[in-house]
Amino acid sequence: MAHKITFIPGDGIGTDVSTAAQRCIDATGVKIEWEEAIAGLSAQEKCGELLPQATLDSIKKNKVALKGPMGTPIGGGFRSVNVAIRHALDLYACVRPAKSYIGVKSYFKDIDLLIFRENSEDLYAGIEFEEGKPETKALIAQIEAGSKKKIRPDSGISIKPISITASARIVKFAFEQAINLKRKKLTVVHKANIMKFTDGLFLRTAREVAKNYEGKIIFEEAIVDNMAMQLVQKPHNYDCLVLPNLYGDILSDLCAGLVGGLGVAPGANIGDDLAVFEAVHGSAPKYAGLNKVNPTAMILSGVLMLRYIKEESAAQKLENAVKDVIAEGKFVTYDLKPTPTDPSAVGTREMADAIIKRLK
């Protein structure tokens, strides 16, 4: 019986890399019925909405989606469609592996980290008050009255909610996944020494959840700024990390840097019965349609998807094919060559072709 999966091509290079991933997944032999849907700038152009209800309905029906990168304006315009999808579907667990592959340029070897990022609240809840607005001034006055601390009147305000409910479920998810994957250690990352009532709550909740897993896996704690340094100095001391939303976003990019960059960084957003798989990198519109960019992160996101739908054999076969092509270094994109100007670099489609050839 075929798996029914929603396919969202994305914006910019999204179509290039997501189509490459789709072709590679199909080449594993797993039977999939793809249902194409749209979101982001392409959806806005076609139907006047960034995130059509039909797209959300498709994901809810099929339970699984493969999504290409989408653009997000910086400092203005609409909020992230990626975040909107996670919130709308309550995809509370963001899973981002950072794994070394021979042939990818990096200062480190043999990295194998797994980041579990809380996806539903923290500063990404999108509760903001614009500088100068009447409601912002009223909020500042209320905060000053309640806290006895002054806030500059020309401030913008962001609210950082962290709840016991969301903290407990991401930590439990991280423990369960880490144990199922036979990992050795889970580190909770926080800034509870400063933010006592938000990060402090996250840490206290993690400690409570950890009591249920004593003797099953090593559990430890780390302050986020120190964790950033430790990951650069001694990355092999760590295994799995569980973090609030913002820290998870930042440190997962840092971990991607340890293994060669976002071009090899896959991601998954998982809820109780829904999941969306996507590359960590953005939509890079200047490269759209040029058949130039590295499809590895998107293909490896497909590997995560195959594992999620219990197609482990196909997932391992596809990951091995990716590893072999990168290690050989012949049919790879410019960023995986010794120099970016290497004339032997191939395009997105051609690298996908080489991976598919390895699957046969």
Side-chain angles (χ1 to χ4, degrees):
M1 187 174 175
H3 301 276
K4 293 183 178 179
I5 294 175
T6 301
F7 177 65
I8 307 170
D11 301 324
I13 60 167
T15 299
D16 296 350
V17 295
S18 61
T19 300
Q22 186 185 44
R23 290 174 54 223
C24 290
I25 293 164
D26 285 338
T28 66
V30 174
K31 289 184 169 59
I32 294 176
E33 289 182 16
W34 299 99
E35 181 175 284
E36 188 163 331
I38 55 174
L41 296 175
S42 57
Q44 189 174 45
E45 290 171 3
K46 288 181 181 178
C47 59
E49 294 180 89
L50 288 163
L51 182 53
Q53 185 60 45
T55 297
L56 293 175
D57 290 342
S58 174
I59 300 171
K60 289 175 183 177
K61 178 185 68 176
N62 296 326
K63 307 296 185 185
V64 179
L66 183 70
K67 184 185 76 61
M70 294 179 186
T72 300
I74 297 174
F78 63 85
R79 292 188 184 278
S80 169
V81 179
N82 301 318
V83 174
I85 291 172
R86 295 166 199 164
H87 285 179
L89 302 175
D90 199 22
L91 305 175
Y92 60 83
C94 180
V95 183
R96 291 182 173 178
K99 189 174 181 179
S100 297
Y101 290 101
I102 294 170
V104 179
K105 290 174 285 186
S106 172
Y107 293 105
F108 300 90
K109 294 180 180 179
D110 302 321
I111 302 294
D112 187 5
L113 294 163
L114 192 52
I115 294 88
F116 298 99
R117 166 192 173 195
E118 200 289 315
N119 233 0
S120 68
E121 48 185 26
D122 194 359
L123 289 171
Y124 283 34
I127 307 170
E128 291 198 291
F129 295 83
E130 187 178 351
E131 176 271 324
K133 296 285 186 178
E135 57 269 27
T136 310
K137 294 177 181 178
L139 178 61
I140 289 172
Q142 185 177 356
I143 293 171
E144 288 182 342
S147 68
K148 308 303 180 186
K149 293 184 178 180
K150 295 294 291 181
I151 298 175
R152 292 185 179 91
D154 57 350
S155 296
I157 304 288
S158 289
I159 304 296
K160 173 179 169 152
I162 289 186
S163 68
I164 294 172
T165 299
S167 300
R169 68 180 181 176
I170 186 60
V171 175
K172 181 181 177 183
F173 180 92
F175 268 113
E176 294 289 339
Q177 290 290 310
I179 291 168
N180 289 341
L181 294 169
K182 296 180 170 46
R183 310 292 288 219
K184 296 179 179 178
K185 181 167 68 173
L186 178 66
T187 304
V188 60
V189 184
H190 61 89
K191 191 64 177 173
N193 56 324
I194 302 298
M195 285 168 277
K196 311 289 186 182
F197 304 136
T198 48
D199 286 34
L201 182 147
F202 187 83
L203 176 59
R204 290 193 303 274
T205 303
R207 288 170 176 169
E208 285 298 312
V209 173
K211 292 176 182 177
N212 299 318
Y213 298 93
E214 288 179 356
K216 297 179 181 178
I217 189 170
I218 298 168
F219 174 69
E220 65 177 23
E221 305 166 6
I223 295 173
V224 62
D225 44 333
N226 181 258
M227 186 78 251
M229 180 186 72
Q230 295 293 336
L231 283 169
V232 173
Q233 287 191 316
K234 307 168 186 175
H236 299 99
N237 286 357
Y238 300 93
D239 189 1
C240 300
L241 311 178
V242 59
L243 316 89
N245 205 333
L246 179 62
Y247 308 150
D249 196 8
I250 295 169
L251 289 194
S252 63
D253 271 26
L254 186 153
C255 291
L258 300 177
V259 299
L262 294 180
V264 293
N269 299 285
I270 301 172
D272 287 335
D273 63 350
L274 303 173
V276 175
F277 297 84
E278 62 184 356
V280 176
H281 64 69
S283 61
K286 71 177 181 178
Y287 293 115
L290 298 182
N291 188 40
K292 184 173 183 177
V293 296
N294 182 357
T296 302
M298 198 70 218
I299 297 170
L300 291 176
S301 298
V303 170
L304 296 180
M305 187 191 78
L306 287 169
R307 291 201 166 105
Y308 180 83
I309 62 175
K310 310 299 184 188
E311 296 286 357
E312 177 59 39
S313 176
Q316 193 58 56
K317 188 164 68 169
L318 180 52
E319 184 178 9
N320 288 344
V322 172
K323 285 165 60 177
D324 290 347
V325 167
I326 293 174
E328 183 186 41
K330 188 175 180 182
F331 298 103
V332 294
T333 51
Y334 72 96
D335 56 310
L336 293 172
K337 289 291 186 177
T339 62
T341 56
D342 191 320
S344 68
V346 302
T348 309
R349 287 191 297 274
E350 290 73 26
M351 185 171 175
D353 290 341
I355 292 168
I356 290 168
K357 194 171 182 180
R358 296 271 181 170
L359 291 167
K360 294 179 178 177

